[in-house]
Amino acid sequence: MRAKTAEDRALLELLDPVAESVGLEIVRVRLMGGTLRRRLQIMAERPSDHDIAVEECARLSRAVSEVLDAADPISGEYLLEVSSPGIDRPLTRPVDFELFEGFEARLETDRMVEGRKRFKGLLAGYEDGSVAIDLDGEAETALIPFDWLADAKLVMTDALLKRGAEIRAARGEPEDDGLPSEGPSPLNTTTTTSEDNA
């Protein structure tokens, strides 16, 4: 789920070592849009504490731009966006389901599971290749194979906002306004336009 399409997977393979070289890990890569002007969105974080600073986004953006300019894997013009995963982040790796155990999430599978593809509930961890989730209105914990997931994301809740505020306070950072934002925060985004040199 870190990459959705074959093109995303090729980019992830190219860019994973770039992120590692600056001490970061890519959470998700998405190349979006049509053929005229596309957007390459990279969400990244430090593996040590699953966070990222604005300066680190900028550093990763510069490193990624150098590699993309040299390798030229994307035809045409595109916009590069490097950001944090955000508070209501996508869950793309097994470690995410352990890290956010007890928080509410929405999951979507690529196939029918007991008559449905969408699930909502509290994450209950990760075990033996499956995501454990306590579904709303269900008595037993459901196990959904990680490989069957098409999409997974945290749900913005007071508990999730409180967790973010506690992490910022522990680092001595000021409180934000607590308002959810759609997509990456502009403060955590660096954009670059590149053109195909072919």
Side-chain angles (χ1 to χ4, degrees):
M1 289 192 325
R2 293 173 63 219
K4 203 166 199 172
T5 65
E7 198 171 18
D8 290 345
R9 286 190 288 277
L11 286 166
L12 185 61
E13 194 173 314
L14 177 67
L15 300 177
D16 261 341
V18 179
E20 288 172 21
S21 74
V22 294
L24 298 171
E25 189 172 84
I26 294 176
V27 173
R28 190 177 81 178
V29 168
R30 291 287 186 273
L31 185 58
M32 299 173 279
T35 53
L36 290 178
R37 185 171 173 106
R38 304 171 84 188
R39 183 163 56 111
L40 175 58
Q41 183 189 71
I42 300 172
M43 293 181 178
E45 65 185 12
R46 292 185 298 267
S48 58
D49 62 0
H50 305 283
D51 199 3
I52 191 169
V54 176
E55 302 77 27
E56 289 170 309
C57 285
R59 189 164 64 242
L60 178 58
S61 180
R62 286 190 297 272
V64 162
S65 291
E66 285 179 22
V67 169
L68 292 177
D69 287 347
D72 201 20
I74 304 170
S75 62
E77 193 174 304
Y78 65 93
L79 189 69
L80 172 63
E81 179 183 280
V82 175
S83 71
S84 76
I87 296 173
D88 53 343
R89 59 181 293 143
L91 305 167
T92 62
R93 305 157 299 176
V95 67
D96 295 334
F97 296 95
E98 294 173 344
L99 183 66
F100 292 98
E101 185 172 343
F103 289 95
E104 193 171 341
R106 291 182 196 275
L107 311 180
E108 187 174 334
T109 56
D110 63 4
R111 65 200 77 186
M112 297 296 276
V113 179
E114 295 188 10
R116 60 181 175 166
K117 287 185 169 186
R118 291 187 176 88
F119 304 86
K120 182 181 173 190
L122 295 180
L123 294 177
Y126 181 88
E127 58 183 71
D128 300 326
S130 291
V131 173
I133 183 168
D134 294 326
L135 298 173
D136 293 347
E138 303 279 335
E140 295 183 15
T141 299
L143 291 175
I144 300 173
F146 178 79
D147 292 340
W148 292 7
L149 292 178
D151 194 40
K153 185 177 182 180
L154 289 176
V155 174
M156 185 70 74
T157 61
D158 288 343
L160 193 58
L161 288 169
K162 182 179 177 190
R163 177 187 184 273
E166 288 169 352
I167 290 170
R168 285 190 302 279
R171 287 195 308 247
E173 294 177 9
E175 290 276 336
D176 67 3
D177 60 10
L179 296 174
S181 61
E182 285 299 316
S185 163
L187 296 175
N188 293 338
T189 304
T190 302
T191 55
T192 307
T193 303
S194 297
E195 291 184 13
D196 187 23
N197 297 323

